[in-house]
């Protein structure tokens, strides 16, 4: 393996951060794979827009990005190219919440290559910056209705962090993302780590679902003792639900799907199965997840 230290660069702001002697929490939100409802992307953009931020670490984008599979966008105006947008790079920020408390945000595209080297680099950064807690978030396609509160399950190697009801009763095998692989090895380093899985209605996976993003942000506030500014995000949720309802109301077939999901949700809730009200079977999850991957790959 090539030296992981040549994969990233500490910026001057990181030197001060290293010396404060405080334990720090890291939130990593990577895009490119399991992002139903665009939860990682939307939450990243919201946090960077509404929280004070500064860059601590930059990664070498050229080593991690496959340009042929994810090509940068170019603008052609008239007879000339006017702009080339390389897209967001993998970057580590320090953010501050409304109280001034700091936390770290690792965001950008999932590495296309060199997973083991990137994992080793992140473990070095965790040690240098005294990171003791690592949290990630994804949106997963589920047979749930958008008209009910979004469920957020917690997946962790630590049984004390797991949700009271498992996501599935039976093992479910699927291709891993980098953030899943990264989290899996954190326990050996003594780092508390868990992943939020927001249940996104399977019929809304390809568009932003703001309610799922808000649900994850509220979990971050609770579990990391943060005060993230969520007022604008709540307004976005209202506007998003209005747009979703307007689109679904013109399609009788879509209304029937939503009605069935609502009936199932309400029946389970009325029967007192609160922990499993939004937890479908392993077969349900596998079917929706496989369909989601097919749509992403254009198959």
């Amino acid at each position: 393996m090539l030296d992981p230290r040549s994969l990233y660069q500490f910026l001057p702001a990181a030197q001060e951060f290293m010396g404060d002697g405080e334990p720090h929490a890291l939130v990593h939100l990577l895009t490119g794979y399991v992002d139903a409802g665009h939860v990682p992307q939307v939450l990243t953009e919201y946090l960077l827009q509404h929280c004070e931020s500064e860059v601590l670490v930059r990664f070498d984008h050229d080593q991690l990005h496959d340009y042929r599979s994810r090509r940068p966008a170019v603008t052609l105006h008239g007879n000339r190219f006017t702009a080339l947008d390389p897209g967001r790079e993998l970057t580590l920020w320090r953010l501050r919440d409304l109280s001034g408390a700091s936390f770290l945000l690792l965001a950008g595209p999932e590495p296309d290559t060199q997973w083991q080297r990137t994992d080793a680099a992140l473990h070095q950064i965790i040690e240098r910056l005294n990171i003791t807690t690592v949290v990630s978030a994804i949106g997963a396609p589920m047979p749930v209705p958008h008209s009910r509160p979004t469920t957020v399950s917690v997946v962790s190697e630590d049984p004390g962090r797991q949700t009271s009801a498992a996501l599935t009763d039976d093992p479910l095998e699927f291709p891993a993302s980098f953030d899943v692989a990264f989290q899996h090895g954190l326990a050996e380093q003594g780092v508390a780590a868990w992943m939020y899985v927001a249940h996104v209605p399977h019929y809304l996976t390809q568009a932003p679902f703001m309610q799922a993003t808000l649900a994850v942000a509220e979990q971050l506030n609770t579990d990391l003792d943060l005060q993230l500014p969520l007022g604008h995000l709540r307004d976005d949720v209202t506007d998003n639900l209005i747009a979703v309802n307007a689109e679904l109301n013109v399609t009788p077939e879509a209304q029937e799907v939503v009605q069935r999901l609502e009936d199932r949700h309400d029946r389970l809730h009325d029967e007192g199965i609160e922990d499993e009200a939004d937890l479908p079977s392993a077969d349900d999850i596998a079917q929706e997840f496989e369909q989601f991957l097919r749509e992403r790959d254009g198959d």
Side-chain angles (χ1 to χ4, degrees):
M1 182 191 298
L2 297 174
D3 187 352
R5 289 174 296 183
S6 63
L7 195 58
Y8 62 92
Q9 177 186 14
F10 282 111
L11 299 187
Q15 302 301 321
E16 175 187 350
F17 197 73
M18 291 179 192
D20 66 6
E22 297 292 328
H24 301 119
L26 168 66
V27 179
H28 62 100
L29 302 170
L30 305 185
T31 59
Y33 183 52
V34 187
D35 57 358
H38 299 190
V39 172
Q41 176 184 337
V42 173
L43 184 54
T44 294
E45 294 173 352
Y46 185 85
L47 292 176
L48 291 177
Q49 180 179 358
H50 295 280
C51 294
E52 177 187 341
S53 64
E54 60 182 335
V55 176
L56 300 185
V57 180
R58 291 193 186 279
F59 285 79
D60 188 341
H61 188 66
D62 235 23
Q63 297 190 56
L64 299 178
H65 190 81
D66 181 355
Y67 289 93
R68 293 183 65 180
S69 65
R70 290 192 282 186
R71 297 178 184 272
V74 65
T75 302
L76 176 64
H77 189 186
N79 290 337
R80 66 189 184 95
F81 297 111
T82 59
L84 177 68
D85 181 8
R88 178 166 286 159
E89 302 178 355
L90 190 61
T91 308
L92 180 70
W93 286 270
R94 170 170 65 174
L95 275 63
R96 297 185 186 274
D97 69 1
L98 292 174
S99 71
S102 294
F103 66 100
L104 303 179
L105 173 67
L106 175 70
E110 175 191 45
D112 293 314
T113 64
Q114 304 191 47
W115 277 22
Q116 293 185 20
R117 188 169 173 229
T118 306
D119 181 83
L122 287 173
H123 279 76
Q124 292 177 352
I125 292 170
I126 284 174
E127 184 175 355
R128 293 286 302 277
L129 297 183
N130 195 25
I131 294 171
T132 57
T133 302
V134 176
V135 183
S136 62
I138 61 173
M142 297 282 186
V144 296
H146 71 282
S147 51
R148 299 295 184 267
T150 296
T151 293
V152 178
S153 296
V154 179
V155 178
S156 175
E157 302 292 320
D158 178 8
R161 280 287 175 187
Q162 297 170 2
T163 48
S164 55
L167 265 172
T168 65
D169 294 329
D170 301 312
L172 175 62
E173 183 174 314
F174 58 92
S177 60
F178 174 79
D179 47 4
V180 169
F182 171 51
Q183 177 181 306
H184 184 68
L186 288 172
E188 297 179 359
Q189 197 173 354
V191 177
W194 62 92
M195 173 181 288
Y196 298 120
V197 180
H199 297 203
V200 176
H202 61 86
Y203 49 89
L204 296 177
T205 56
Q206 303 301 325
F209 184 52
M210 308 303 294
Q211 181 172 287
T213 302
L214 176 61
V216 168
E218 290 174 338
Q219 286 284 135
L220 289 173
N221 271 350
T222 299
D223 295 340
L224 299 184
D225 195 23
L226 295 174
Q227 297 182 32
L228 300 177
L230 302 183
H232 293 287
L233 186 53
R234 292 190 175 97
D235 293 339
D236 292 340
V237 169
T238 299
D239 294 340
N240 183 230
L241 288 176
I242 291 174
V244 168
N245 287 326
E247 184 171 347
L248 294 177
N249 286 340
V250 300
T251 309
E253 293 81 2
Q255 295 179 49
E256 292 177 7
V257 170
V258 174
Q259 183 64 58
R260 287 198 302 269
L261 294 172
E262 290 175 339
D263 291 344
R264 176 181 180 276
H265 176 283
D266 295 342
R267 175 178 54 80
L268 292 174
H269 184 79
D270 292 342
E271 292 173 359
I273 314 176
E274 295 183 1
D275 290 336
E276 299 182 359
D278 280 331
L279 298 181
S281 68
D283 289 340
D284 289 337
I285 296 174
Q287 179 180 354
E288 300 304 339
F289 196 77
E290 289 169 0
Q291 177 64 28
F292 173 69
L293 294 181
R294 282 196 296 269
E295 291 174 354
R296 282 194 55 85
D297 295 338
D299 182 4

